[in-house]
Amino acid sequence: MTTTTPPVGKRRGKGRGVFGNTGLYIAVGVAALLFLIPFYLIFRNALSTDPEITGENWKVLPSFQWGNVSELFNDPTVEFGRSMVNSLVVAVSSTLGTLLVCSLAGYGLARIPYKHANKVFYAVLATLMVPTAVTFVPSFVLVSSLGWVDTYRGLIIPGLFSGFTCFLFRQYFLGFPKELEEAARVDGLGYWGAYWRIVVPNSLNFFAAIATITFIGAWNSFLWPLVMGQDPSSWTVQIALSSFMTNQTVNFHLIFMAAAISILPLIFVFLFLQRWLVQGIAQTGIKG
Amino acid sequence: MSTTTTRGVAQPAPAKASPARPRRGLRGNATFNFWLFTGPFLIGLVIFVFVPIFWSVWLSFFDARYTVTPSKFIGFDNYKQILTNSNFPDSLLTFTVFAAFIVPTTWALSLGLALLVNRLRFMRAFFRSVFFLPTAVSYVAAALIWKMSIFSGVRFGLMNTVLGWFGVENIAYLANPSPPWYWVVIVTLRLWIQSGFYMILFLAALQNIPTELYEAAAIDGAKPGWQTFRHITLPQLRATSTAVILLLLVAAYQAFDEFFNIIGQNATWAQTPLMELYKTALGTSQDYGAGSAGAVILSLLICLVTLIQGKFMGFGRGEDSK
């Protein structure tokens, strides 16, 4: 508090170093600009006409063709609206399902004294060793033999059983204050009651963090929906985008509009839930 | 009520001898509750994780073209085939080089960003958000921007426009493999999309370093800047660095989305291991045996790399102390 003017050589923090304050902000500012350029491009192109996008003269601002939105949704070659709905259904149910299944398992592993709990936990840990993307071949074989190709079931259910998410929940519940649960037990609640009435309501921050991460992962996932989606009616928005990109007739403004719309929900998720997202990722990484 | 309160004390002896009163045990019966909680997850885990893994290993020893219920055991022939008769080994090699490059660069960039952001006093949250925001973007959408707007090989691409100001001719970044300009496209994309995520991990770790360490170092005469960074910050970040490098390594070998969308599966270069597996197993040849063999090899390779890295960086040390 005595430092109204920072004394020379001992400015606040460790901050002398290579950059002075101005230098620091210039460096951060330039980096931030570079990081924002792709966002600028996607929204600029989405609201332009094709000649504006491919023209020789670089136009900084688009001519704001809001009509591109309705043109995209009315384009019969890509069922874009359908794919957005598919993505929404898949991402929301994946998130809810993962939270339910993995949090219960994590709690069971962390808190319920069962003599073989450790063995079960090691079996869960073992699945972390096998990279999930690598098992897509047998998973496809399995899911197609169940007749689940091109269905929501096929897109959603195989992804719910994430060993990693279960592991994160277990680690979290290990740190959950035991006293709260014990009080509930004294009041006559069983594990089940204590879990729903005490543990879950007091863990909403962590649930929100995991939900955000799961939602983003499900929305952006590409390989599994690609394998699953044989029929365009079951495409998620990522698959629709990808096929749009390789189309012979490229409508630049439409494809950029599609990409822009596909990332908008996530940008909202991001801006509103960032606190939990950051918290969750920080937690994930430290434990990981 | 009284049974609940004394349950903990009375547990050891009667718990074993009490299968006779299961109804009341619902509250205290740990075994039942354990399976109630973990059962749904475990059943799913067995069906959708363990079964595919073992099925994969099993298929890899059979002649399994166009069928997933093969009858002809062929030993290691699938392994031989995918290691000699396909582009799979090439892709493994390519992606080992790719990993060797992208892992340290992402590590350095995300750490650098974290150090910068950590020093800010004003607008820290704003800049953190800016660097973090690309995490929200899918590889597919990013591939689109990179391929059709930034590194489009023609004059309206951003990169060529900028280079044009300096009199550089248009570069066709993606049209052919030599010179391999496509790596610039892929690497910049990956750096952009990944770095913010790992920056968050480093930021969290930086904030956990006790300030006393820096004060002690200052008393000992360490100059702020490189010296403190080298002797305090870096060692304190060891556990996080290990985790970050591990995640980056696995991510590099599992690359698929942006390669599929930028390079395409018809090109002969820069085919990722997963793309090769995708083509082998789900392409025209539908060779599940060879595809599975490749998946087994890739999994083993990732495990091996992980273990080596663990050995190297002292993996698990930071974790156990948690």
Side-chain angles (χ1 to χ4, degrees):
Chain A
M1 282 300 104
T2 49
T3 52
T4 38
T5 47
V8 194
K10 208 192 170 182
R11 263 174 266 173
R12 231 191 77 191
K14 346 91 206 191
R16 200 159 43 106
V18 192
F19 304 106
N21 234 350
T22 326
L24 176 67
Y25 275 89
I26 289 174
V28 174
V30 169
L33 268 184
L34 287 175
F35 268 69
L36 287 174
I37 283 177
F39 290 105
Y40 155 69
L41 287 174
I42 202 169
F43 289 105
R44 166 193 175 271
N45 289 355
L47 293 170
S48 296
T49 61
D50 273 1
E52 280 177 318
I53 300 171
T54 56
E56 291 242 23
N57 294 323
W58 187 267
K59 292 187 74 175
V60 175
L61 281 184
S63 51
F64 294 104
Q65 308 285 326
W66 294 106
N68 289 353
V69 179
S70 58
E71 199 191 332
L72 171 68
F73 281 99
N74 292 325
D75 188 333
T77 55
V78 191
E79 294 181 75
F80 190 73
R82 177 77 201 250
S83 70
M84 283 291 282
V85 172
N86 286 343
S87 278
L88 200 67
V89 171
V90 170
V92 169
S93 9
S94 298
T95 307
L96 294 178
T98 307
L99 284 187
L100 178 70
V101 170
C102 294
S103 72
L104 283 176
Y107 184 79
L109 288 169
R111 274 290 200 268
I112 303 181
Y114 168 58
K115 61 181 169 182
H116 299 301
N118 267 342
K119 286 176 200 156
V120 174
F121 178 58
Y122 289 135
V124 174
L125 272 191
T127 64
L128 301 184
M129 300 292 150
V130 182
T132 43
V134 178
T135 57
F136 74 92
V137 175
S139 298
F140 170 76
V141 167
L142 178 86
V143 170
S144 66
S145 65
L146 290 172
W148 287 5
V149 171
D150 285 329
T151 64
Y152 283 142
R153 273 169 300 173
L155 283 166
I156 297 164
I157 296 177
L160 298 184
F161 308 97
S162 157
F164 190 58
T165 310
C166 169
F167 173 73
L168 292 179
F169 270 113
R170 175 185 174 270
Q171 299 302 94
Y172 169 78
F173 287 130
L174 282 179
F176 189 86
K178 234 176 180 156
E179 299 74 35
L180 275 175
E181 288 159 84
E182 269 155 15
R185 303 286 298 281
V186 171
D187 291 346
L189 285 173
Y191 285 110
W192 190 254
Y195 180 75
W196 287 109
R197 298 220 216 143
I198 308 295
V199 178
V200 173
N202 283 296
S203 308
L204 290 182
N205 274 358
F206 191 76
F207 276 78
I210 299 291
T212 320
I213 295 171
T214 313
F215 185 86
I216 290 177
W219 184 272
N220 284 343
S221 135
F222 180 66
L223 178 57
W224 184 248
L226 179 71
V227 168
M228 273 294 101
Q230 310 284 314
D231 188 89
S233 68
S234 71
W235 282 356
T236 62
V237 70
Q238 308 298 338
I239 308 301
L241 261 188
S242 172
S243 78
F244 214 164
M245 222 189 302
T246 47
N247 256 354
Q248 287 309 308
T249 50
V250 178
N251 284 316
F252 281 96
H253 63 289
L254 289 189
I255 180 168
F256 276 102
M257 179 53 81
I261 292 179
S262 82
I263 66 172
L264 270 181
L266 287 197
I267 292 185
F268 282 123
V269 166
F270 232 70
L271 296 181
F272 288 122
L273 302 180
Q274 201 184 49
R275 187 160 65 87
W276 290 291
L277 188 54
V278 168
Q279 187 187 62
I281 287 175
Q283 222 149 358
T284 306
I286 289 164
K287 303 270 165 69
Chain B
M1 283 306 263
S2 62
T3 49
T4 340
T5 43
T6 54
R7 198 190 57 84
V9 187
Q11 202 181 23
K16 283 249 155 82
S18 67
R21 30 174 261 242
R23 200 179 306 128
R24 141 137 336 127
L26 221 163
R27 186 185 292 153
N29 186 338
T31 307
F32 172 80
N33 276 293
F34 181 82
W35 292 111
L36 178 70
F37 275 83
T38 58
F41 175 77
L42 292 174
I43 292 170
L45 197 71
V46 167
I47 296 177
F48 294 105
V49 180
F50 281 102
V51 167
I53 290 172
F54 288 115
W55 198 339
S56 185
V57 175
W58 184 75
L59 278 177
S60 72
F61 293 109
F62 283 82
D63 182 12
R65 275 167 209 265
Y66 305 104
T67 175
V68 295
T69 48
S71 50
K72 199 170 146 216
F73 182 82
I74 54 168
F76 282 95
D77 281 7
N78 280 325
Y79 289 86
K80 252 182 249 162
Q81 194 214 324
I82 197 139
L83 284 177
T84 51
N85 249 341
S86 75
N87 300 320
F88 187 67
D90 273 355
S91 74
L92 286 183
L93 190 68
T94 311
F95 277 76
T96 303
V97 177
F98 175 66
F101 184 78
I102 196 76
V103 172
T105 42
T106 314
W107 177 85
L109 179 61
S110 47
L111 177 57
L113 290 175
L115 289 170
L116 283 180
V117 171
N118 196 39
R119 278 232 212 133
L120 298 176
R121 256 173 277 159
F122 309 107
M123 292 170 66
R124 177 193 282 193
F126 169 77
F127 282 108
R128 191 193 62 194
S129 302
V130 168
F131 297 129
F132 188 38
L133 198 55
T135 307
V137 180
S138 72
Y139 273 102
V140 184
L144 178 105
I145 309 170
W146 255 249
K147 183 183 175 182
M148 293 187 161
S149 198
I150 301 181
F151 289 103
S152 171
V154 286
R155 67 195 179 286
F156 66 82
L158 176 69
M159 208 60 196
N160 279 341
T161 304
V162 172
L163 289 176
W165 299 339
F166 301 98
V168 179
E169 288 285 308
N170 284 348
I171 295 172
Y173 293 92
L174 298 166
N176 53 56
S178 59
W181 286 114
Y182 58 90
W183 283 121
V184 177
V185 183
I186 298 284
V187 165
T188 48
L189 186 156
R190 209 159 241 261
L191 284 175
W192 178 72
I193 235 173
Q194 281 188 338
S195 299
F197 180 87
Y198 297 104
M199 175 198 72
I200 298 293
L201 299 187
F202 279 123
L203 267 177
L206 281 173
Q207 277 151 19
N208 282 338
I209 301 178
T211 43
E212 297 85 57
L213 281 178
Y214 290 104
E215 283 156 14
I219 291 167
D220 290 346
K223 294 192 191 75
W226 176 248
Q227 273 193 350
T228 12
F229 175 73
R230 167 85 181 69
H231 294 289
I232 297 183
T233 314
L234 215 48
Q236 287 287 317
L237 291 178
R238 193 189 174 100
T240 305
S241 282
T242 312
V244 166
I245 292 173
L246 181 75
L247 294 170
L248 282 170
L249 271 173
V250 175
Y253 276 105
Q254 296 197 50
F256 183 85
D257 302 8
E258 80 270 41
F259 287 86
F260 187 92
N261 286 295
I262 287 183
I263 310 285
Q265 47 173 337
N266 297 322
T268 51
W269 64 89
Q271 299 293 290
T272 82
L274 279 192
M275 275 165 84
E276 293 293 347
L277 295 184
Y278 179 83
K279 284 191 274 191
T280 308
L282 304 175
T284 45
S285 65
Q286 302 258 318
D287 192 339
Y288 297 115
S292 300
V296 171
I297 294 170
L298 184 55
S299 305
L300 289 178
L301 183 73
I302 295 179
C303 290
L304 183 75
V305 168
T306 308
L307 286 177
I308 293 175
Q309 190 240 348
K311 197 115 200 141
F312 214 55
M313 304 270 306
F315 184 54
R317 213 190 292 161
E319 236 175 32
D320 292 339
S321 65
K322 268 256 131 209

